[in-house]
Amino acid sequence: DWSILNVGMRNWGTDQTYLNLVSYPLKKQPDIVLLMFFAGNDVSDNYRPVILKTPWDAPHFIPANGNQVNSFSDLRKVNWSGYQNPFDEPRDFPFPRNINAWLRLNSVVYRGIDQARQLIQKKTKNTLKEGHSSDPSKPPQPWGVFRIGDDPPEWQTAWRITEILLKEMKIESEKRKAQFMIVVAPFSPLIEPHYVPEDVKRKDVLNSAKYDLTKPAKHLIEFGKQNNIPVLDLAPGLIEFRKLDPHRKLFFPKDGHFTALGNCVVGGLITNWIDADSNVDFKGCK
C-alpha cells in the first residue's frame, strides 16, 4: 500500500539530489524522502573540481570564499554553462551544422555511420590514455574517503559541503511535512572481498592499514545522530545475508552495483527499517 517515486540518477552527488528535491514537480507531498547515499564516491562528487579534478557541466555547489564552508550561505551555485540540444531546432544552426543535425535526426544510415565513427574515436582515445598512464596501481581519487587517519583539508571541505546539503535536504523535506532519511550503500569489497577483481586488489583496497571501508557510514551515522536524521547502514544486513547464502553475489564484480539479488535484499532491509511490522522474508529473494 505504498506509492514510491524513484528519482535516482547515475552520476549524481548530493548537490544534484538536493536540487532535484527542491524543484521536482510533485503532485502530492511525500511522507518520506529517502536518500540513497553511496559510500564510494558521493562525498568526492560533491567537491569534484578539487578532489576529482574533472569538469561537471550540471548545476552544482562550490565554496563561495576559499575553503571556509560553515553554512549554506557559504556555498555558491554553479549553473549550466550553456547546454543546447542540437536536435531541438536543427535549422537554427549555421551551415553545415544544420545539415549534420538534420541527418542525425532523420537518417538511420547517417546516424549509424556517425556512431561508428564516435566509437572508433573513443577507443583510440582510451588506448592513448592507457598508454600514458604513469601509475596504473594508483588508487582512484574517490577512495580518499576510506583513508585511515585524519582527512586532509580538501576532504574536510568535501564533507562539510556534503553535510550542509544533507541538512538542507532535511529542511526541504520538513517544509513538505516529510521525514528525511538516509540509506548508506556500502562499497562492494566490504561485503564481498572474495569477489574483488584483481586489478582492484592490486590497488590495495583490502589493506586495513590503509583503508577503512566502514569510515563513511560511521561518519554519516554520527552526523545523523547530531542532526536528528535516521540513517540506515546497509552493510551489516548485507553481511548477515551473505552468511546465510555465501555463494550468490549481491554485487556485480566489475562495476560494484547491486545484482537483482542485491536489490531484493536491500529492498527488504529498507522496508523492515521503515516499517518494523513488514517483517520481510528474504527467502523470497532469488
Side-chain angles (χ1 to χ4, degrees):
D1 60 347
W2 296 5
S3 295
I4 300 173
L5 182 62
N6 177 11
V7 291
M9 287 288 288
R10 68 186 185 92
N11 290 336
W12 278 8
T14 316
D15 47 10
Q16 295 297 300
T17 52
Y18 163 73
L19 291 169
N20 192 43
L21 175 63
V22 170
S23 59
Y24 199 92
L26 291 169
K27 292 182 179 179
K28 296 181 180 180
Q29 298 304 338
D31 298 305
I32 295 173
V33 173
L34 188 69
L35 173 67
M36 178 73 82
F37 192 101
F38 177 48
N41 61 20
D42 275 5
V43 180
S44 56
D45 279 351
N46 294 331
Y47 201 24
R48 289 172 188 255
V50 173
I51 293 180
L52 302 182
K53 296 178 175 59
T54 56
W56 181 219
D57 191 16
H60 62 283
F61 296 92
I62 61 172
N65 299 298
N67 293 329
Q68 295 302 314
V69 182
N70 298 306
S71 67
F72 192 59
S73 61
D74 294 328
L75 296 178
R76 177 171 65 86
K77 182 183 175 185
V78 179
N79 294 314
W80 291 101
S81 65
Y83 171 78
Q84 186 177 16
N85 187 340
F87 303 120
D88 287 342
E89 295 292 340
R91 61 178 174 273
D92 291 345
F93 288 97
F95 179 84
R97 283 193 66 197
N98 56 348
I99 303 298
N100 177 276
W102 187 91
L103 286 170
R104 288 182 66 188
L105 185 61
N106 294 280
S107 171
V108 175
V109 174
Y110 184 87
R111 195 157 58 243
I113 294 172
D114 191 54
Q115 288 176 346
R117 175 187 60 79
Q118 291 181 42
L119 182 62
I120 292 170
Q121 287 181 340
K122 184 178 180 181
K123 285 186 175 180
T124 303
K125 287 180 180 178
N126 287 340
T127 300
L128 291 172
K129 187 176 180 181
E130 290 168 3
H132 285 83
S133 177
S134 58
D135 187 3
S137 65
K138 188 176 180 180
Q141 290 293 338
W143 287 11
V145 77
F146 304 119
R147 188 185 293 111
I148 293 288
D150 295 334
D151 291 325
E154 66 272 19
W155 278 99
Q156 293 178 24
T157 301
W159 268 114
R160 283 199 296 271
I161 294 173
T162 300
E163 291 171 356
I164 288 168
L165 291 173
L166 291 173
K167 288 179 183 178
E168 291 299 311
M169 290 190 74
K170 180 177 186 285
I171 292 170
E172 185 64 27
S173 300
E174 290 175 346
K175 286 180 184 177
R176 302 166 183 264
K177 303 292 191 291
Q179 183 176 23
F180 178 57
M181 308 172 80
I182 300 173
V183 174
V184 185
F187 191 34
S188 59
L190 174 64
I191 313 300
E192 298 183 338
H194 300 298
Y195 295 123
V196 176
E198 286 302 319
D199 60 327
V200 177
K201 283 183 181 178
R202 283 195 294 270
K203 295 172 184 176
D204 236 9
V205 67
L206 298 178
N207 187 340
S208 60
K210 291 183 178 181
Y211 298 112
D212 177 5
L213 302 186
T214 67
K215 184 178 177 181
K218 292 175 182 175
H219 188 123
L220 287 166
I221 289 169
E222 183 59 33
F223 167 79
K225 290 177 181 177
Q226 294 174 2
N227 294 276
N228 196 28
I229 300 173
V231 177
L232 170 66
D233 179 12
L234 291 173
L238 293 171
I239 291 171
E240 191 63 29
F241 180 85
R242 279 200 54 77
K243 291 179 182 177
L244 301 174
D245 196 347
H247 303 296
R248 295 162 65 209
K249 296 178 182 178
L250 298 171
F251 297 85
F252 290 107
K254 290 290 184 181
D255 64 15
H257 288 86
F258 291 119
T259 61
L261 176 64
N263 273 293
C264 182
V265 176
V266 166
L269 291 171
I270 293 173
T271 303
N272 288 340
W273 179 56
I274 293 176
D275 181 6
D277 294 330
S278 295
N279 196 24
V280 172
D281 183 0
F282 293 98
K283 292 179 181 178
C285 291
K286 300 178 180 180

